[in-house]
Amino acid sequence: LRQRCDRVVGVHVRRGDYATFRDGRYFYSDDVYRRIMSETAGHLKGSVGFLIASDSPIDESAFADFVSIRAPGKEIDDLYALAACDCIIGPPSTYSAWASFYGKIPVVHLEDAAQPVPAAALAHLAAT
C-alpha cells in the first residue's frame, strides 16, 4: 500500500467478542466500515489505501471499492501492521490503542456506528 498510496489507514474491524460485549454496541457492519473508510478518504489529500485488520473472517469483496489489503491475520502481526499505518480507525479498543501508542500514530475510536469520522482527528494528515 505504501508504494501505491499517499496515505495508509488501518481499519480495525473487531467482531469476535464485540458481538456480545455491551450488547453489541461496537459490533459494526461492513456497511458502517465502508462509510467510515469513505469519510476518512474524503478528509485526506491524495490517494488513500486501507489495511483491514480483523479478528474474524471478512468478505474482502465488501471493500472492493477501496484500495485495500487484508492484514496478515495473526494477532501480533496485525497489531504491528496497524502500528505501521498513518492512522487507525475503528471501534474503541485497547488493541488499536496499543498499535497507536507503539506506532506513535493517531487512532480514531468511533463510539457509535452512526458517528461521522471527525475531520479534526485527521487534520494533521490532511494538511500534508
Side-chain angles (χ1 to χ4, degrees), residues 33-106:
Y33 284 105
R34 279 195 302 272
R35 179 190 53 79
I36 290 169
M37 291 163 70
S38 180
E39 288 177 11
T40 299
H43 291 313
L44 301 176
K45 292 180 182 176
S47 58
V48 179
F50 295 94
L51 172 82
I52 302 172
S54 181
D55 59 347
S56 298
I58 61 167
D59 175 7
E60 292 184 45
S61 69
F63 304 102
D65 293 344
F66 301 95
V67 175
S68 66
I69 62 169
R70 178 85 159 87
K74 293 186 179 181
E75 287 179 17
I76 196 72
D77 295 338
D78 287 4
L79 185 74
Y80 293 112
L82 285 170
C85 295
D86 295 312
C87 70
I88 302 166
I89 57 174
S93 169
T94 55
Y95 184 86
S96 54
W98 173 256
S100 167
F101 170 77
Y102 184 81
K104 297 181 176 90
I105 59 169

Side-chain angles (χ1 to χ4, degrees), residues 15-16 21 28-29 35 44 47 61 78 101 106 110 115 119 122:
R15 296 262 168 85
F21 176 69
Y28 302 154
S29 69
R35 179 190 53 79
L44 301 176
S47 58
S61 69
D78 287 4
F101 170 77
L110 301 172
Q115 178 184 347
L122 302 171

